Amino acid sequence: MRQDDGRHTLVVEKDQDFLDELSEYLDILGNPTRLRILKSIERTPKDIRTISREIETSYENTKKHVDKLLTVGVIRKEAGMSAPTAKGVHPVWKYSVIPGGLEAIIQNLGLFGNLQVTFGDSDLGPRIEEVLGRVAGEFGPKGAVAVVVGGPQDGQVFPILGESVAVGRADPAAEGTIDPERDIVLSDDYAAVTRISRPHCRIFRAGGGWQVEDRGSTGGTAVNSTRIGTGIRTGLRDGDIIDLGKGVKGARLVFKVMREEE
């Protein structure tokens, strides 16, 4: 079911266990102190005492928040040595952000938020959006991203960089003409997607917003299940679903606007 703002509401059978886990997940990630902890250890592993000094809270309180973050798999702990003191150094646990952990959280929250998932009488949409806004505001990429849904690259996040980004299937012959750091290159398993050498579609930044244009692909391009005409630019909004090709060999992308450019 599509709402007036272009988002889709997915109503599923109520699963209380999953609902409880998702609610706890949101509680853990939505806490401002925990976000300060993540910011503190985003680039450098640190022990509890160092973290507590930086975020200006007690050792005991910091430890409780760190333990909560460990449960959602966004940080890890490894043995290390303390900073030198008058008594020398000693072994400590040091905590750091797991590579890709923050991106996975943004992806998870973004997917649920885009679909506006509801469970019976419980609407978690506002809470998901609130937590996503906090996390993405601190750690998310600027501009927009495309998240692959389904297939071998399920969950992969492609930042949309520059004024125009080509989207298509991998093509060895295109090496040297395609920028893998900027363009969205999908694996050959998405056989219904036109090769990147003559892109399936392009995503453009235009007038402060975003647009997508089909480039004459065989399988076509659809936005929120509506096929768009070849060569006609169609506006994109946060949460729009872009389908490339048809069937199981096609690709589905969720378009997500993150934080504003600086």
Side-chain angles (χ1 to χ4, degrees):
M1 178 172 61
R2 183 179 177 184
Q3 300 185 56
D4 293 338
D5 63 0
R7 299 185 181 186
H8 298 258
T9 298
L10 178 64
V11 181
V12 298
E13 183 179 351
K14 185 173 181 180
D15 183 330
Q16 191 60 47
D17 289 339
F18 179 79
L19 185 61
D20 291 343
E21 288 182 22
L22 179 55
S23 181
E24 182 180 8
Y25 188 75
L26 295 173
D27 287 342
I28 291 173
L29 296 174
N31 185 284
T33 300
R34 291 170 197 147
L35 292 183
R36 293 204 303 273
I37 290 172
L38 289 175
K39 198 69 176 176
S40 172
I41 63 175
E42 182 181 11
R43 301 185 184 280
T44 306
K46 296 171 184 175
D47 62 82
I48 295 290
R49 295 192 185 281
T50 302
I51 298 169
S52 68
R53 287 195 299 270
E54 290 190 0
I55 68 173
E56 298 180 339
T57 189
S58 69
Y59 176 93
E60 292 76 15
N61 193 40
T62 302
K63 183 67 167 63
K64 290 178 182 178
H65 286 302
V66 166
D67 287 342
K68 285 288 188 180
L69 289 170
L70 283 169
T71 66
V72 296
V74 67
I75 67 174
R76 63 187 175 189
K77 68 177 183 179
E78 299 173 297
M81 302 303 292
S82 69
T85 66
K87 296 181 179 180
V89 296
H90 58 275
V92 294
W93 287 115
K94 288 196 172 184
Y95 300 84
S96 60
V97 176
I98 294 174
L102 291 169
E103 290 82 354
I105 286 173
I106 293 170
Q107 171 204 320
N108 294 341
L109 295 175
L111 184 57
F112 282 126
N114 289 335
L115 293 176
Q116 292 287 290
V117 178
T118 64
F119 297 82
D121 297 330
S122 177
D123 185 359
L124 293 175
R127 287 186 63 199
I128 293 171
E129 286 297 319
E130 178 187 1
V131 176
L132 175 61
R134 290 181 182 179
V135 177
E138 288 288 342
F139 307 103
K142 303 178 186 70
V145 299
V147 183
V148 182
V149 180
Q153 288 175 267
D154 181 45
Q156 185 166 347
V157 179
F158 288 96
I160 298 176
L161 308 172
E163 300 299 311
S164 174
V165 175
V167 185
R169 182 161 47 100
D171 185 354
E175 291 184 5
T177 63
I178 297 298
D179 186 350
E181 297 297 322
R182 303 179 72 85
D183 294 318
I184 298 177
V185 182
L186 302 171
S187 79
D188 210 39
D189 294 281
Y190 298 97
V193 178
T194 303
R195 290 189 180 277
I196 192 75
S197 53
R198 58 179 191 88
H200 191 107
C201 69
R202 279 189 173 273
I203 296 175
F204 299 88
R205 183 194 297 275
W210 301 88
Q211 298 176 338
V212 61
E213 175 187 78
D214 184 85
R215 302 292 287 183
S217 64
T218 302
T221 303
V223 176
N224 298 327
S225 302
T226 299
R227 183 161 177 165
I228 63 177
T230 300
I232 300 175
R233 294 192 183 186
T234 300
L236 286 175
R237 293 180 294 182
D238 181 34
D240 279 347
I241 297 175
I242 305 171
D243 285 306
L244 311 177
K246 299 177 181 179
V248 295
K249 294 297 184 180
R252 168 165 288 186
L253 307 175
V254 175
F255 177 78
K256 185 70 185 172
V257 179
M258 308 305 288
R259 53 181 172 164
E260 295 296 325
E261 298 282 359
E262 295 177 349

